[in-house]
Amino acid sequence: MIYSRDVIFNKRVMSKDQSPQTEEEREFMVKVPYASAIGSLMYAMDCTKPDDIGHVVGVVSRFMSNPGKVHCEVVKWILRYLQGTIAKWLYFGKAELKVQGYVDLDFASEVDHRRSTTGYIFTVGTTVVSWMSQIQKIVALSTREAKHVVVT
């Protein structure tokens, strides 16, 4: 499973600063089908693998208006990950079908505006049935304040 930015971004934080800065870089990136790749990832995320790629697809989709080479590398990494997990699927076994929910937040993880990321996931047995990952609408000044935003 892809988890957090530490794995997918190889200890790097994605930001607008990685977008093309020169006209030559912009011309190169116009030829790259970044938006099409993001659309394919969103389809896969919604229809097949929400628990694996939901957060990272949300992050890379923030840069659709001006993607850079680093952003494209991450999209390629996600596509390679999906190719390696093609034989995986949801499975409801004979185990106890207990519904569980988990909530977490990453304080000030969105570098460009310093907003926190909130997420939840619900499982039935060991299978993910609902999830969400989004940037909070306000800038929290502390982890405690960010947690109060999650609760409300």
Side-chain angles (χ1 to χ4, degrees), residues 92-110:
F92 292 98
K94 294 182 180 181
E96 180 182 359
L97 295 180
K98 182 177 176 183
V99 176
Q100 291 185 309
Y102 305 92
V103 178
D104 196 10
L105 82 103
D106 192 1
F107 175 66
S109 61
E110 198 266 328

Side-chain angles (χ1 to χ4, degrees), residues 9 28 43 72 77 120 130 138:
F9 305 124
F28 175 79
Y43 177 80
C72 290
W77 194 92
Y120 70 75
S130 180
I138 65 167

Side-chain angles (χ1 to χ4, degrees), residues 70-89:
V70 173
H71 306 128
C72 290
E73 290 172 14
V74 173
V75 168
K76 287 179 189 177
W77 194 92
I78 297 168
L79 290 168
R80 282 192 294 270
Y81 169 81
L82 289 175
Q83 184 177 10
T85 61
I86 240 166
K88 308 285 184 190
W89 56 83

